[in-house]
């Protein structure tokens, strides 16, 4: 899988970078040793604020996401219409906060030797989830809406005041496929965002060099890999260890393993630094000439002569604030949503499910969301549809309230009623337990039979309404009455040794031959079996 991933990434990136202008005319051969490639794209606001980082500095967790508008039914918040609640002291109305998640990789496998130690040295890992703005504060809880969403936000995520970042200049850099070492500072890719292993263009990676090596936002680095490093890889190095490449070769010349360092170092791609911390940096891959792996080496590039290109998108900026008069005029003319819902079916038995379908309309064509709350059962919803599960619901009506609200928090609600009918309790039936076996002409209850009766006694102790029927049997030729005495002796053990009330136990002589006692337990309301169930004929 790892090989296929590398090949696929390389083919995609090279196809998009080098062969997008193919024509039907023959093309001249390209010398990849000397050729340079001008590729990449400038970081967007999402790249700048959704990249994540490693840091040795303590990140405050005094503010955190406590829930949202539809808690506790909803635990994932990711849309522009979602509202979340940030809890903690010192929250300010109108302030913007960045939502972080403190994470750890649960996979203990190291992608390269020493990876875990390198990550520990670089600091703790934080993924950046969103940017929100607080519109109101009540007590120690801020009501916030999304301005930039990177991934799903869940309760427990951390909120810190947003520190705006300067977008690094994007330069027109060139890549030499086989550039020799330049003597510039080097580091390593020790982790990738979302714990990826193979990365390509626009992916975010975390490096083990930062401010300690003079790195700063906007610096460019190239990713490189030597053939000696590939030889040490348990998979990539297999080809180097092959005894022969082609059986028809006579005495082929093979490069000794110790001289692999004489092969040129290959350039895998380049990246731009987005954030810098004391011992780490976050970078975005711009150009990937092939799959770049966690563990590959990075080297600072000299871009002093590279042309600065204008960004494709402006840095993340505060949205324009309308004046009070305009806001008042907009509020006066705003029209709330309309919603109507139906349930199918409207009446059902416990354990069945009903589907709630809603039609929500915004007269102002605003973006809307629909939430659902019920006073019974369990609800699961997806946009304009919800499912009511009545598995644990008692009989009676269940009211489901559906609320449609737009991005201005204008809302409309409707209530749908689903009736859960009382179910008919199942008819209790007698249950046959294990049989007791007796020796010929014997009525003695041995230890094996006592173990079976101990289990029956435990059931009867746990359920005071449970009774028992003991049906004794005898083989033809055994003494008359021995079948009933076997059942009575078993009852004596239950009542005298186990303390079961003898009035809860009935004994009888069964019609089926055999040296045994059948044990039947009877829940309240169950009928006493007249005879033991006949045996099924065995196929001949």
């Amino acid at each position: 899988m790892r090989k296929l991933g590398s090949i696929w990434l390389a083919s995609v990136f090279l196809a998009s970078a080098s062969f997008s202008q193919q024509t039907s005319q023959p093309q001249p051969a390209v010398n990849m040793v000397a050729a340079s490639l001008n590729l990449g794209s400038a970081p967007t606001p999402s790249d700048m604020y959704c990249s994540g980082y490693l840091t040795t500095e303590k990140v405050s967790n005094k503010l955190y996401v406590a829930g949202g508008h539809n808690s506790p039914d909803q635990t994932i918040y990711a849309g522009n219409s979602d509202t979340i609640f940030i809890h903690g002291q010192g929250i300010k109305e109108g302030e913007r906060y960045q939502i972080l998640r403190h994470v750890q990789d649960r996979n203990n496998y190291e992608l390269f030797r020493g990876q875990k130690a390198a990550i520990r040295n670089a600091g703790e890992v934080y993924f950046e989830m969103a940017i929100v703005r607080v519109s109101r504060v009540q007590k120690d809880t801020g009501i916030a809406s999304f301005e930039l969403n990177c991934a799903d936000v869940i309760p427990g995520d951390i909120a810190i005041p947003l520190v705006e970042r300067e977008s690094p200049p994007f330069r027109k850099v060139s890549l030499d496929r086989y550039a020799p070492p330049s003597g510039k500072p080097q580091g390593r890719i020790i982790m990738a965002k979302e714990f990826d292993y193979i990365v390509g263009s626009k992916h975010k990676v975390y490096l083990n060099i930062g401010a300690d090596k003079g790195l700063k936002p906007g610096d460019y680095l190239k990713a490189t890999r030597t053939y000696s490093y590939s030889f040490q890889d348990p998979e990539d190095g297999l080809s180097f260890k092959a005894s022969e490449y082609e059986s028809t070769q006579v005495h082929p010349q093979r490069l000794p393993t110790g001289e692999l360092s004489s092969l040129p170092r290959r350039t895998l791609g380049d990246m731009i630094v987005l954030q810098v911390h004391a011992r780490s940096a976050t970078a975005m891959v711009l150009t990937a000439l092939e799959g770049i792996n966690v563990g590959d080496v990075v080297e600072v590039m000299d871009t002093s002569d590279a042309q600065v290109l204008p960004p494709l998108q402006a840095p993340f900026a505060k949205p324009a604030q309308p004046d009070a008069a305009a806001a008042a005029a907009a509020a006066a003319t705003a029209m709330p949503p309309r919603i109507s819902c139906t349930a199918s079916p409207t009446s059902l038995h416990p354990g069945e499910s009903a589907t709630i379908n809603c039609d929500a309309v915004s007269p102002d064509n605003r973006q809307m969301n629909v939430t659902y709350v019920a006073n019974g059962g369990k609800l699961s919803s997806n946009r304009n549809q919800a499912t009511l599960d009545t598995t644990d619901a008692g009989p009676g009506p269940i009211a489901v309230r559906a609320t449609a609200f737009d991005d201005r928090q204008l809302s409309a609600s409707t209530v749908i009623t689903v009736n859960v009918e009382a179910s008919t309790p199942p008819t209790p039936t007698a249950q046959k337990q294990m049989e007791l076996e007796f020796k010929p002409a014997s009525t003695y209850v041995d230890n094996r039979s006592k173990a079976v009766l101990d289990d029956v006694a435990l059931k009867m102790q746990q359920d005071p309404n449970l009774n028992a029927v003991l049906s004794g049997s005898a083989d033809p030729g055994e003494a008359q009455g021995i079948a009933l005495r076997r059942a009575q002796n078993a009852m004596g053990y239950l009542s005298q040794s186990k303390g079961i009330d003898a009035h809860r136990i009935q004994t009888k002589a069964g019609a089926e031959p055999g040296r045994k006692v059948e044990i039947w337990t009877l829940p309240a309301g169950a009928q006493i079996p007249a005879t033991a169930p006949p045996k099924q004929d065995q196929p001949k």
Side-chain angles (χ1 to χ4, degrees):
M1 183 66 186
R2 172 175 160 187
K3 291 282 188 183
L4 291 175
S6 299
I7 295 171
W8 177 82
L9 281 171
S11 62
V12 170
F13 299 135
L14 286 174
S16 63
S18 303
F19 307 131
S20 60
Q21 302 297 327
Q22 288 182 352
T23 67
S24 59
Q25 299 298 323
Q27 300 297 311
V30 177
N31 182 353
M32 289 303 292
V33 176
S36 62
L37 302 176
N38 299 317
L39 307 171
S41 59
T44 65
S46 294
D47 296 326
M48 293 296 300
Y49 292 94
C50 299
S51 56
Y53 54 84
L54 280 71
T55 180
T56 55
E57 299 176 1
K58 182 175 178 57
V59 176
S60 173
N61 59 359
K62 69 176 184 178
L63 304 180
Y64 59 91
V65 178
H69 173 77
N70 200 31
S71 293
D73 296 326
Q74 182 181 2
T75 56
I76 295 177
Y77 309 94
N80 292 334
S81 59
D82 280 341
T83 298
I84 62 172
F85 304 139
I86 301 176
H87 185 73
Q89 296 181 352
I91 302 174
K92 298 179 181 180
E93 183 175 321
E95 290 293 319
R96 301 152 81 205
Y97 292 86
Q98 186 170 39
I99 307 300
L100 304 177
R101 183 173 301 160
H102 190 187
V103 298
Q104 59 178 327
D105 189 357
R106 295 292 187 180
N107 186 355
N108 292 322
Y109 175 78
E110 287 195 325
L111 298 176
F112 62 89
R113 184 177 298 177
Q115 181 190 19
K116 295 296 183 182
I119 293 174
R120 286 194 300 270
N121 184 65
E124 297 293 317
V125 188
Y126 292 87
F127 286 169
E128 295 169 325
M129 314 306 294
I131 291 177
V132 300
R133 181 184 294 274
V134 174
S135 58
R136 297 172 59 191
V137 178
Q138 296 182 4
K139 296 183 179 178
D140 289 331
T141 299
I143 303 170
S145 56
F146 288 89
E147 288 190 356
L148 177 66
N149 180 261
C150 308
D152 295 340
V153 173
I154 60 177
D157 286 341
I158 301 169
I160 63 173
L162 174 66
V163 177
E164 295 196 31
R165 300 166 186 162
E166 183 179 354
S167 180
F170 178 56
R171 298 178 181 272
K172 185 178 181 180
V173 301
S174 298
L175 287 177
D176 185 337
R177 198 69 167 93
Y178 299 108
S182 64
K184 296 283 186 180
Q186 292 187 351
R188 201 172 199 175
I189 302 173
I190 60 173
M191 182 184 289
K193 186 180 177 184
E194 301 299 338
F195 307 112
D196 289 334
Y197 169 46
I198 302 176
V199 297
S201 180
K202 302 294 284 185
H203 283 83
K204 313 305 184 300
V205 295
Y206 309 129
L207 315 177
N208 66 343
I209 57 174
D212 56 342
K213 299 296 183 182
L215 216 58
K216 59 186 182 300
D219 281 346
Y220 277 71
L221 302 98
K222 66 177 69 174
T224 67
R225 188 184 304 153
T226 65
Y227 289 93
S228 297
Y229 179 79
S230 297
F231 176 78
Q232 300 300 326
D233 187 277
E235 294 180 19
D236 293 342
L238 290 177
S239 296
F240 285 112
K241 300 176 178 67
S243 59
E244 59 182 22
Y245 294 145
E246 171 55 52
S247 60
T248 60
Q249 283 184 308
V250 179
H251 304 303
Q253 298 296 314
R254 298 293 301 274
L255 185 69
T257 301
E259 296 183 16
L260 286 175
S261 59
S262 65
L263 297 178
R265 182 187 68 169
R266 67 182 189 263
T267 300
L268 310 175
D270 68 348
M271 59 192 69
I272 186 172
V273 176
L274 303 178
Q275 301 184 53
V276 174
H277 294 268
R279 301 176 187 169
S280 67
T282 302
M284 180 181 74
V285 177
L286 296 175
T287 304
L289 304 177
E290 59 182 279
I292 300 174
N293 297 341
V294 171
D296 283 332
V297 172
V298 295
E299 181 181 81
V300 175
M301 300 174 62
D302 183 1
T303 58
S304 57
D305 296 332
Q307 178 186 356
V308 176
L309 300 177
L312 301 180
Q313 186 171 353
F316 194 86
K318 297 181 180 180
Q321 299 296 317
D323 57 57
T333 59
M335 299 179 65
R338 296 193 298 267
I339 185 172
S340 60
C341 302
T342 59
S344 178
T346 57
S347 182
L348 68 172
H349 294 96
E352 297 178 341
S353 297
T355 301
I356 314 297
N357 288 293
C358 294
D359 183 18
V361 178
S362 171
D364 295 341
N365 294 322
R366 308 291 293 203
Q367 186 177 9
M368 290 194 308
N369 195 14
V370 181
T371 62
Y372 303 85
V373 178
N375 63 352
K378 295 181 179 178
L379 273 175
S380 58
S381 62
N382 182 16
R383 298 187 178 180
N384 288 12
Q385 188 178 87
T387 301
L388 176 65
D389 181 3
T390 64
T391 300
D392 299 325
I398 296 179
V400 179
R401 177 183 294 275
T403 302
F405 59 92
D406 60 22
D407 53 354
R408 302 163 299 185
Q409 300 303 311
L410 297 178
S411 63
S413 298
T414 186
V415 176
I416 313 95
T417 301
V418 176
N419 185 56
V420 180
E421 300 177 0
S423 59
T424 304
T427 303
T429 57
Q431 301 292 325
K432 184 179 179 180
Q433 309 297 321
M434 294 181 63
E435 298 177 348
L436 309 183
E437 296 180 357
F438 290 82
K439 294 180 179 180
S442 173
T443 62
Y444 176 71
V445 179
D446 58 18
N447 289 337
R448 180 178 299 179
S449 297
K450 289 178 181 178
V452 174
L453 292 171
D454 289 345
D455 184 61
V456 174
L458 179 61
K459 289 182 173 66
M460 299 182 72
Q461 290 166 353
Q462 293 173 340
D463 183 359
N465 296 318
L466 189 67
N467 295 325
V469 175
L470 308 179
S471 177
S473 300
D475 280 340
E478 287 191 296
Q480 185 177 5
I482 194 171
L484 183 59
R485 290 200 300 275
R486 285 169 174 163
Q488 291 172 339
N489 286 354
M491 183 187 73
Y493 178 79
L494 287 174
S495 59
Q496 296 172 16
S497 298
K498 293 299 176 180
I500 304 299
D501 187 352
H503 292 90
R504 298 172 60 191
I505 307 171
Q506 298 186 36
T507 60
K508 66 175 185 176
E512 185 177 354
R515 302 187 307 274
K516 62 182 180 181
V517 171
E518 290 184 353
I519 305 174
W520 293 78
T521 54
L522 279 69
Q527 298 296 320
I528 301 175
T531 58
K535 289 185 177 179
Q536 299 292 330
D537 293 336
Q538 299 295 323
K540 297 181 180 179

